Amino acid sequence: MPSKDQVDRALELIGIRAANYEYFFSKLDDPEWIDPLRARGLFACPPKPERSEDGLLVRAVWWPQSQFLARVSARAPEEVLAILLATGTDNYAVIADFTEAAAKMPPELASKWAIKLRQWIQQASFVESLLVKEVRNLVLHLAGNGRSKIALDLLAALLEVLPDPKAKEAEGGDEPGGRRGFLEPGAKCDQYAFQETLQIVVPSVAGIEPIPTLELLCDLLEKTACFSFPEEQARKPLDYSFIRRPAIEDHGQNQDDRFGNSLIAAVRDVSAKICGDMPQEFEHVISEVEAHGWDIFRRIGLHLLRVSEAPPPRLVEERLVDPELFDCIGVHHEYYHLLRRRFAELSPEGQAIILAWIDSGEHHKAYLDKHEQDWSEEQRAANLRYWQYTKLLCIEKDLSGEHARRLEDLRREFGEPGIPPDFHSWMGGVRWLGQQSPKPTEELGLLPVKDLVGFLKSWKAPGEFDGPSPEGLGSGIEALIARAPEKYAAGIEHFKDGALASLYLGYVVAGFAKALENGKTFPFEPLLALCGWIVDSSEAARRQAADGPGGRREEWERPRHDIARLLTKLFDDKYGFPIGLRVSVWRIIEPLTNDPDPDLAYEARYGGENMDPLSLSINSIRGNAMHGVVHYALWVCRKNEINTASGSKRRLSLADMPEVRAVLDAHLDPGKSQFALNQMDRAVYGDWLPQLMYVDEEWVRANLGRVFPESPEERHLRRAAWNTYVVYVPQIYKQVCDLIKGIYRDEIRRLATDESRKRGYHDLAQKLGEHAAVIYARGWDDLAEGSLVDLFFANAPEELRAHVLGFLGRDLRKDTPLGDDTVARFKRLWEWRVTALAGADKVAEKELGEFGWWFASGRCGEEWALDHLETVLLRTGALSDEMGVFEHMAQVFEQFPKESLRCLKLYVEKTQNPWFFGLAREGGPWEILRKGIAHEAAEVCEASEEIVHLLGSKGYLQYREILKMERGS
Amino acid sequence: MSTNSEGLRDGHVAAPVGSVLKSHEKALLGKLLEKDPGLARMYRGALHALHQKENPERLVLAAHEIRELMEKVPRAVDIAVKPDRPLGEEVRLLCQDWKRVKPLVHEKEGRLCCEVMAKLKFVQSMEEFLERYDGNSTSRLEKVKVLVRKLDPSGRQIPEPLEGQHARFWGMLRDYFVKVAHHGESSEEELMGYLNELENFLLARLIPRTFDDMDAIDALLDEAETDA
């Protein structure tokens, strides 16, 4: 036993700080310390469990003392037990340690703790998995050492089945299995721990106390069955277990995630084991199981009779010739298999009874009667024959003579059964039907274009759910054209056939578009001719539809859509679309810019918060056509230059493209186009603002107020254009920025009102901040009062401000080249923010914490960066890119050891991140401290050592190694 | 690098006039400066007073500074400190509240009645008073326990009996300095002893030598095992 002096010294050391105390008990391995420490009250007060604010979650609070007791329990069981019994706690981590300790004691002592533990479990509403594991071990220890009664009692407490907390709500609901569904009984531990307990503990305990274990399991299963329905709806024997557990044996159809399934398997396995090991107990087991009355128990009984090697024949026959079970849906699967396996073992009378039941169909009569009204006589007769067929299939191997012939007749009539006949219903087996073509693509490719069109016109879809479809055939055509566009371009006239379903024309156009993407070449004129014909035909159909019945405008949507999509690709220089086709192609574009898809009603329903206007534009005919207009304008600009009077050349502007100008003007003017009221159309202007500036700056200047209208009534249109510009424009241009700075200012001011942070543009406010930052970083704006950055930081909430500082920091962190003047601007911005935040009442931790990126970039000058890092860390321990920070610091440590250590110490003191120092065993802080401790300057060495001790006091004991390494050397 | 409120570069501490700081004093002064320059000023003031050998009140002055330091330490480790008013002052404030409510009270059918809001306000004042009184008289020990916990960099708790011991020890030190600050009998030697205890208490927590302590624990356990 330790001396009084030693105990005093120990207490003095462990009282200094928690890390010492935890370390002491983690190292203590001598039970001789128990009594003196107990005398000083060290085992009297385990920590209380910590609850979340809502009280629902309980966090384990470890107790070093209980861990010590568990460690030494085998060597001092009496002393440890005395503490276990004297200590009251509801901290499950401590109880788990106590239980672990008990499992190492002699059983007569362990039982005493087990009794207390059982009471605790009975009163607890939930038992954590950590404790379940220890309870399992204790149960096994007790059962294996002659204390099976208390072991089973403890197991019963642990596995207690509890009613569904929603049982009250379900009272008075629909029938079980109906729309309201079943109730979900639960357990005191989570499902995984429950299953694991059954799998680990039950076989061992059942090996020692088989019948009591079976009784316990049956009681639990009965409770599960009872708690599966609202009380007034529970009617034995019907438990609907065939739905949740279609087979008693392990089977893919079983929903294994169900709570009760593991219990069913346990009852099944324990029963089967008893029947196998003790055949004399067979009848007792069957009666014990079946006595519970529910279908699930009757099914387990039938299952046992099937799988056992030699069950008593009387028991089998009694059940197989029981008319209640013969066609009972609740026990169908098990009865089916028992009959299949044991039919031949039945007495001749028994066999005759069953065959007679099949022949007469009397058990199926009630079912047929239900359908007397809705089925014809013929249908009901066929249904009866199918029922007989499945019954005969069950005993197929034992049939002969007339019944065998009858089965063959029925097999010919019905083929293989739709679902396995041993199941009442079948889940899964879904396959993806996709779009099937009636002919393989290769076969279609052999047809001349004329014949192919002929086939398209003549083929009729069979209308089967999973059969070939027009869409499947269309996809085949698309693939064919994508592979060999020249052949189909040459025969394209054949597609201009009014009798051909327009759906296929869309696939034809899409096939040519795909061919372009695949790098294939073909003459464009035939394709344009086809597109022109489609547009003309569809416009005619539209007029016809407007004039009266008979029009088929909707049918043309698919090909118009594909043409509009083609127009967004066609003008890419890599496809070599000739400028000579300008007039022809415009003749196709222009009508599509007036397509009603989408109209205002559609936009209101499917756009808005559901789909932003730009996304809507690329999924609609007119939207794609409007994008096509801009592509067209840019293409014309690129391909043409005008010789000026002075002899120089100039680019074309909209004045040279009146057709484009007319469309762009019209879609901004409700007097000229109804679509000027659509947000989608306005989004296209926002998306292409820089390009429109390139084409015709004057036009943009003149129309800026119409693209981004200011009136409150048109706010939604402005938002559509502006939000699209801010979120989607990939690059910011000075010219554009200068032109729209006023709009930037207005919109940034709106950040304070939160309007710009609505759904649909979830990152709009962040993007706006990024724009302001980029404009500043490029030197197009400054930090003066009223500048974009100034306005942004004045109006944005901290989270957004932090985002922008992080955005710039990450930019610094990237390898992108930045000039010295740009970095200087970055630094000025940071200093400006730090000055602004210096007087703030509340520390803007998120904002300041983003400096991590800046420091880790190593691009701001080390002295400046270290100075600012220290300033940040004096105010917050929430640092971004912390590993990057300390890895970079390790690199500059030799030049700035004191500054680095000051920062590191502040971070150790302030960080709330429990993982950072716990994980790092090399690099970053580890490297800094290793170098610091070995440093030649005594103060650096001391400062490093102080940090190592500080880390130790926070529980990061691995840093002791650094001290040992240094002292060892 | 900026200067601190002591007018010195951060990390540097001034020695009391006419003396050289001992290493532990220097370390503690530096740490207090990090936590709160005000604390450092009080500690330096105490050391300064103790070195004024010709000043007959130096023990009183030093004890006063130390008492102040001990009062303010909780604030430096983020513990909210409620105003610790004397009981007499609390009662005076409560009387003021009662005087405000009294004109609104009248007798009706033999029972005292008053406007609901006024009544509620007074009941609230009364409740706050009782809570404070109750808190002041019973939870001083608890407050010191919280301080002991806050001084631990891990924020975790040591065993309750030891925490209680430390809290009582802190209270004992405080009581001593309060007594001396109020001209209670003492000697320089005694005061230096108490101050030394306080310094050690704070140093062990503010500048932990965790792994040295763990080495000591290892050695102690080895020793106990060898003895057995």
Side-chain angles (χ1 to χ4, degrees):
Chain A
M1 187 176 291
S3 66
K4 182 180 175 301
D5 169 60
Q6 285 164 338
V7 174
D8 286 342
R9 277 154 54 205
L11 293 186
E12 193 176 324
L13 280 165
I14 67 181
I16 295 174
R17 69 186 66 85
N20 291 11
Y21 146 61
E22 289 157 4
Y23 180 77
F24 173 79
F25 277 103
S26 75
K27 289 286 164 185
L28 193 62
D29 195 42
D30 183 355
E32 292 287 315
W33 283 79
I34 294 176
D35 283 341
L37 292 176
R38 189 181 182 197
R40 305 291 183 97
L42 269 284
F43 295 108
C45 302
K48 292 192 171 88
E50 287 176 4
R51 289 185 182 278
S52 59
E53 275 182 21
D54 57 11
L56 295 175
L57 295 175
V58 181
R59 192 175 73 83
V61 184
W62 308 106
W63 197 35
Q65 288 94 315
S66 58
Q67 291 172 331
F68 159 67
L69 292 174
R71 216 161 39 239
V72 299
S73 164
R75 283 173 279 154
E78 307 251 358
E79 291 85 342
V80 172
L81 180 67
I83 293 172
L84 266 51
L85 296 178
T87 309
T89 180
D90 57 350
N91 182 340
Y92 69 86
V94 174
I95 295 174
D97 289 336
F98 284 3
T99 307
E100 183 188 345
K104 293 174 183 170
M105 291 174 186
E108 64 277 11
L109 299 182
S111 302
K112 292 181 181 171
W113 170 250
I115 291 166
K116 189 173 174 181
L117 175 63
R118 182 173 152 241
Q119 287 167 353
W120 187 87
I121 293 174
Q122 282 171 333
Q123 283 162 15
S125 56
F126 188 73
V127 183
E128 296 285 344
S129 301
L130 173 82
L131 177 54
V132 173
K133 178 175 160 262
E134 300 305 336
V135 176
R136 278 202 300 259
N137 291 339
L138 182 58
V139 168
L140 289 171
H141 175 62
L142 292 168
N145 289 284
R147 294 288 192 282
S148 47
K149 170 78 175 65
I150 179 65
L152 278 169
D153 286 350
L154 191 54
L155 187 61
L158 181 65
L159 297 178
E160 187 185 350
V161 176
L162 304 171
D164 187 337
K166 292 179 186 152
K168 288 279 170 206
E169 296 166 26
E171 274 175 21
D174 297 345
E175 286 295 307
R179 196 168 53 80
R180 288 283 294 273
F182 294 95
L183 295 176
E184 290 289 348
K188 284 205 164 172
C189 49
D190 74 41
Q191 190 162 299
Y192 180 72
F194 188 91
Q195 285 173 356
E196 218 177 30
T197 303
L198 288 175
Q199 285 161 10
I200 294 171
V201 177
V202 164
S204 302
V205 178
I208 298 159
E209 290 287 354
I211 298 294
T213 306
L214 178 62
E215 286 168 357
L216 165 64
L217 293 172
C218 286
D219 287 344
L220 294 172
L221 185 56
E222 170 151 17
K223 269 194 175 179
T224 309
C226 290
F227 291 157
S228 293
F229 313 97
E231 205 177 327
E232 75 281 3
Q233 290 178 18
R235 285 182 206 95
K236 282 184 181 177
L238 191 59
D239 59 13
Y240 298 93
S241 60
F242 66 93
I243 295 174
R244 296 172 157 208
R245 176 89 188 194
I248 293 296
E249 73 273 19
D250 293 335
H251 197 285
Q253 287 291 298
N254 294 340
Q255 299 170 45
D256 282 333
D257 58 335
R258 296 282 179 185
F259 161 79
N261 272 339
S262 48
L263 210 43
I264 293 168
V267 173
R268 176 197 68 193
D269 295 344
V270 169
S271 318
K273 183 85 171 47
I274 299 172
C275 292
D277 294 349
M278 299 182 284
Q280 73 281 7
E281 293 289 341
F282 208 116
E283 285 210 44
H284 177 70
V285 168
I286 292 284
S287 66
E288 167 62 33
V289 170
E290 290 183 341
H292 292 271
W294 294 96
D295 276 343
I296 189 65
F297 290 98
R298 301 203 293 178
R299 293 175 62 200
I300 292 171
L302 295 171
H303 172 83
L304 285 173
L305 292 167
R306 186 214 348 159
V307 298
S308 301
E309 279 311 309
R314 180 179 58 80
L315 297 183
V316 173
E317 182 133 351
E318 275 174 9
R319 281 148 190 83
L320 287 180
V321 299
D322 182 344
E324 255 192 58
L325 298 180
F326 174 67
D327 196 39
C328 172
I329 189 174
V331 301
H332 171 73
H333 181 78
E334 283 65 38
Y335 181 91
Y336 185 97
H337 282 281
L338 179 62
L339 182 64
R340 189 178 179 83
R341 178 161 184 196
R342 307 278 182 210
F343 179 77
E345 297 168 20
L346 292 177
S347 66
E349 295 78 21
Q351 291 182 355
I353 288 170
I354 286 168
L355 288 171
W357 282 344
I358 295 173
D359 291 342
S360 71
E362 61 188 278
H363 290 85
H364 196 53
K365 189 170 178 305
Y367 177 77
L368 292 175
D369 287 348
K370 272 194 207 167
H371 292 282
E372 196 168 2
Q373 301 297 321
D374 47 332
W375 286 357
S376 67
E377 191 61 37
E378 192 184 326
Q379 280 173 317
R380 288 193 294 142
N383 187 271
L384 174 62
R385 287 201 302 284
Y386 188 80
W387 177 85
Q388 288 167 324
Y389 172 42
T390 57
K391 296 291 180 197
L392 288 171
L393 270 174
C394 172
I395 49 175
E396 181 179 9
K397 65 181 170 49
D398 302 315
L399 291 179
S400 59
E402 178 53 29
H403 283 100
R405 280 193 293 279
R406 175 124 178 82
L407 175 62
E408 285 316 306
D409 289 345
L410 291 168
R411 198 193 302 276
R412 272 192 293 279
E413 181 181 354
F414 293 107
E416 288 304 312
I419 61 167
D422 54 334
F423 284 96
H424 174 259
S425 58
W426 185 263
M427 277 193 313
V430 175
R431 67 196 166 91
W432 184 72
L433 298 172
Q435 295 172 340
Q436 287 185 46
S437 170
K439 283 179 190 283
T441 310
E442 289 66 29
E443 200 180 315
L444 291 170
L446 297 174
L447 296 174
V449 180
K450 185 181 175 191
D451 293 351
L452 176 67
V453 173
F455 176 72
L456 293 176
K457 282 158 61 181
S458 63
W459 183 74
K460 295 275 181 279
E464 292 163 7
F465 175 60
D466 57 350
S469 63
E471 288 77 12
L473 180 54
S475 299
I477 307 293
E478 182 182 324
L480 276 179
I481 297 174
R483 259 185 260 160
E486 271 196 271
K487 171 184 168 183
Y488 296 94
I492 212 158
E493 285 300 313
H494 295 291
F495 289 107
K496 294 186 200 168
D497 186 330
L500 178 64
S502 56
L503 172 81
Y504 294 120
L505 295 169
Y507 287 103
V508 171
V509 174
F512 282 106
K514 203 170 266 178
L516 282 177
E517 285 170 11
N518 293 346
K520 305 274 183 190
T521 54
F522 54 88
F524 287 101
E525 290 82 353
L527 175 60
L528 287 193
L530 177 66
C531 291
W533 181 82
I534 292 170
V535 169
D536 289 345
S537 304
S538 58
E539 292 292 314
R542 188 167 69 166
R543 281 192 295 276
Q544 203 182 338
D547 292 344
R552 301 179 300 138
R553 193 193 71 77
E554 297 79 11
E555 289 182 19
W556 291 96
E557 274 190 13
R558 168 75 207 233
R560 284 169 74 90
H561 225 296
D562 285 300
I563 293 171
R565 278 208 199 105
L566 173 72
L567 293 171
T568 62
K569 294 178 185 155
L570 199 59
F571 304 107
D572 193 317
D573 285 347
K574 70 182 173 191
Y575 300 139
F577 188 69
I579 190 68
L581 295 177
R582 177 176 166 183
V583 175
S584 313
V585 77
W586 183 256
R587 204 178 68 76
I588 297 163
I589 296 174
E590 198 273 335
L592 295 180
T593 62
N594 287 314
D595 192 285
D597 171 37
D599 56 17
L600 281 174
Y602 184 93
E603 194 173 88
R605 184 167 179 192
Y606 298 106
E609 291 189 353
N610 179 48
M611 190 193 284
D612 70 61
L614 187 71
S615 302
L616 190 58
S617 74
I618 58 174
N619 287 290
S620 64
I621 298 171
R622 191 176 72 256
N624 275 313
M626 290 298 289
H627 287 291
V629 168
V630 185
H631 280 291
Y632 167 90
L634 289 165
W635 170 69
V636 173
C637 256
R638 285 196 305 272
K639 296 290 174 192
N640 292 283
E641 282 182 326
I642 300 277
N643 291 317
T644 62
S646 62
S648 61
K649 290 178 184 289
R650 72 161 177 84
R651 271 200 330 261
L652 266 66
S653 71
L654 289 182
D656 308 303
M657 292 179 268
E659 71 278 24
V660 174
R661 185 174 188 146
V663 171
L664 292 177
D665 281 340
H667 285 250
L668 291 174
D669 182 353
K672 289 181 182 166
S673 168
Q674 57 175 312
F675 305 122
L677 297 172
N678 279 75
Q679 295 179 54
M680 184 209 77
D681 297 64
R682 212 57 68 103
V684 176
Y685 294 86
D687 191 35
W688 292 104
L689 189 65
Q691 289 80 1
L692 290 172
M693 285 279 284
Y694 168 81
V695 172
D696 196 331
E697 188 175 335
E698 283 312 308
W699 183 88
V700 175
R701 273 182 199 285
N703 287 281
L704 200 63
R706 294 205 295 168
V707 175
F708 303 111
E710 285 181 6
S711 71
E713 309 83 65
E714 293 176 297
R715 175 75 193 144
H716 62 295
L717 296 174
R718 174 179 169 120
R719 236 182 15 230
W722 177 252
N723 294 1
T724 303
Y725 168 74
V726 172
V727 174
Y728 293 107
V729 76
Q731 197 170 338
I732 302 168
Y733 296 90
K734 184 172 186 309
Q735 260 177 311
V736 181
C737 167
D738 289 344
L739 181 65
I740 61 173
K741 226 173 216 177
I743 302 177
Y744 269 121
R745 285 198 188 93
D746 288 349
E747 295 298 324
I748 287 172
R749 283 193 189 98
R750 285 176 195 274
L751 283 175
T753 66
D754 208 41
E755 185 203 24
S756 304
R757 283 180 275 144
K758 283 186 176 169
R759 280 180 59 203
Y761 290 101
H762 58 280
D763 53 357
L764 172 68
Q766 290 182 354
K767 288 278 184 187
L768 193 52
E770 290 172 15
H771 277 237
V774 169
I775 289 166
Y776 164 77
R778 294 202 178 153
W780 303 338
D781 202 7
D782 54 25
L783 299 171
E785 197 176 338
S787 66
L788 296 187
V789 170
D790 176 60
L791 281 175
F792 178 81
F793 279 92
N795 287 285
E798 190 194 345
E799 206 164 303
L800 274 181
R801 301 195 307 261
H803 171 81
V804 168
L805 292 176
F807 166 76
L808 289 174
R810 284 189 293 276
D811 221 31
L812 279 170
R813 193 84 160 85
K814 287 181 204 157
D815 289 334
T816 42
L818 294 173
D820 289 347
D821 52 339
T822 307
V823 175
R825 271 195 296 278
F826 274 59
K827 287 164 71 175
R828 273 203 299 281
L829 172 63
W830 185 265
E831 287 163 358
W832 176 74
R833 279 315 293 159
V834 170
T835 308
L837 292 170
D841 292 339
K842 188 172 163 285
V843 178
E845 293 199 9
K846 281 184 190 158
E847 201 178 341
L848 288 170
E850 292 298 332
F851 189 71
W853 297 107
W854 296 58
F855 180 86
S857 76
R859 295 171 85 163
C860 299
E862 304 309 341
E863 275 185 72
W864 183 90
L866 277 162
D867 199 27
H868 279 276
L869 183 65
E870 190 174 350
T871 308
V872 166
L873 288 170
L874 281 167
R875 306 194 74 183
T876 176
L879 207 55
S880 62
D881 191 20
E882 51 214 342
M883 186 48 89
V885 166
F886 292 105
E887 275 178 356
H888 180 67
M889 194 181 279
Q891 286 170 17
V892 301
F893 180 77
E894 300 295 352
Q895 296 101 291
F896 303 97
K898 290 179 198 165
E899 295 84 348
S900 300
L901 289 171
R902 277 206 304 271
C903 290
L904 178 56
K905 192 169 101 179
L906 283 169
Y907 187 66
V908 176
E909 284 174 343
K910 297 215 167 176
T911 183
Q912 299 292 316
N913 177 355
W915 309 113
F916 181 67
F917 288 105
L919 294 175
R921 225 177 221 286
E922 54 187 24
W926 189 271
E927 191 65 16
I928 293 166
L929 292 170
R930 203 184 52 72
K931 284 179 183 170
I933 281 176
H935 204 273
E936 56 193 14
E939 54 186 321
V940 171
C941 187
E942 279 167 23
S944 305
E945 214 170 297
E946 190 182 327
I947 297 172
V948 170
H949 284 297
L950 184 60
L951 283 164
S953 72
K954 290 195 150 207
Y956 303 113
L957 301 190
Q958 69 269 38
Y959 287 87
R960 192 181 188 186
E961 207 178 299
I962 295 181
L963 285 183
K964 283 184 177 168
M965 279 159 58
E966 182 52 28
R967 285 169 186 171
S969 65
Chain B
M1 180 55 57
S2 59
T3 55
N4 58 44
S5 63
E6 298 276 277
L8 299 163
R9 273 173 65 84
D10 286 350
H12 290 254
V13 287
V17 177
S19 71
V20 176
L21 284 175
K22 292 177 192 139
S23 64
H24 77 276
E25 290 169 342
K26 192 176 169 188
L28 182 56
L29 199 52
K31 198 70 203 177
L32 292 174
L33 191 60
E34 267 178 32
K35 292 277 172 200
D36 180 349
L39 293 179
R41 218 167 20 245
M42 290 166 202
Y43 181 53
R44 199 159 68 89
L47 295 179
H48 187 76
L50 283 172
H51 283 92
Q52 293 173 329
K53 299 288 180 194
E54 72 290 352
N55 186 345
E57 285 291 285
R58 62 202 171 92
L59 295 189
V60 173
L61 290 173
H64 178 78
E65 291 292 340
I66 296 299
R67 188 200 70 174
E68 282 297 301
L69 167 71
M70 292 180 80
E71 287 292 329
K72 301 292 185 298
V73 164
R75 199 170 298 165
V77 289
D78 298 330
I79 300 174
V81 183
K82 281 187 183 173
D84 203 2
R85 287 189 284 260
L87 186 58
E89 174 69 5
E90 291 280 349
V91 174
R92 194 183 61 76
L93 291 172
L94 194 62
C95 283
Q96 265 180 13
D97 283 345
W98 174 242
K99 280 175 190 165
R100 270 197 292 271
V101 176
K102 205 175 171 186
L104 306 171
V105 179
H106 56 276
E107 200 175 318
K108 188 181 172 187
E109 294 169 3
R111 297 170 70 183
L112 283 178
C113 301
C114 74
E115 285 175 28
V116 173
M117 287 313 292
K119 192 173 172 181
L120 274 179
K121 201 161 182 292
F122 180 71
V123 168
Q124 201 179 339
S125 298
M126 188 74 184
E127 197 177 352
E128 281 170 13
F129 163 74
L130 290 173
E131 262 177 16
R132 265 203 302 279
Y133 176 73
D134 193 39
N136 277 340
S137 59
T138 60
S139 71
R140 177 157 287 159
L141 191 68
E142 288 305 314
K143 282 180 191 166
V144 183
K145 282 183 189 173
V146 174
L147 170 67
V148 171
R149 224 170 294 160
K150 281 277 190 177
L151 283 171
D152 192 318
S154 73
R156 294 193 293 271
Q157 201 176 345
I158 56 171
E160 160 64 27
L162 301 179
E163 199 173 63
Q165 240 174 49
H166 288 314
R168 282 189 293 277
F169 178 69
W170 178 272
M172 185 265 291
L173 292 177
R174 183 182 171 281
D175 289 347
Y176 170 78
F177 289 114
V178 169
K179 182 190 85 177
V180 179
H182 289 95
H183 296 83
E185 198 178 322
S186 185
S187 66
E188 178 166 356
E189 193 184 353
E190 188 183 47
L191 188 134
M192 289 306 286
Y194 274 90
L195 180 58
N196 205 26
E197 290 290 345
L198 177 67
E199 287 167 341
N200 287 341
F201 186 93
L202 289 173
L203 277 170
R205 282 151 187 83
L206 295 175
I207 310 177
R209 303 289 301 177
T210 315
F211 294 124
D212 292 348
D213 291 344
M214 288 180 184
D215 289 344
I217 289 169
D218 288 341
L220 176 65
L221 291 176
D222 285 347
E223 180 192 312
E225 198 178 327
T226 311
D227 290 351

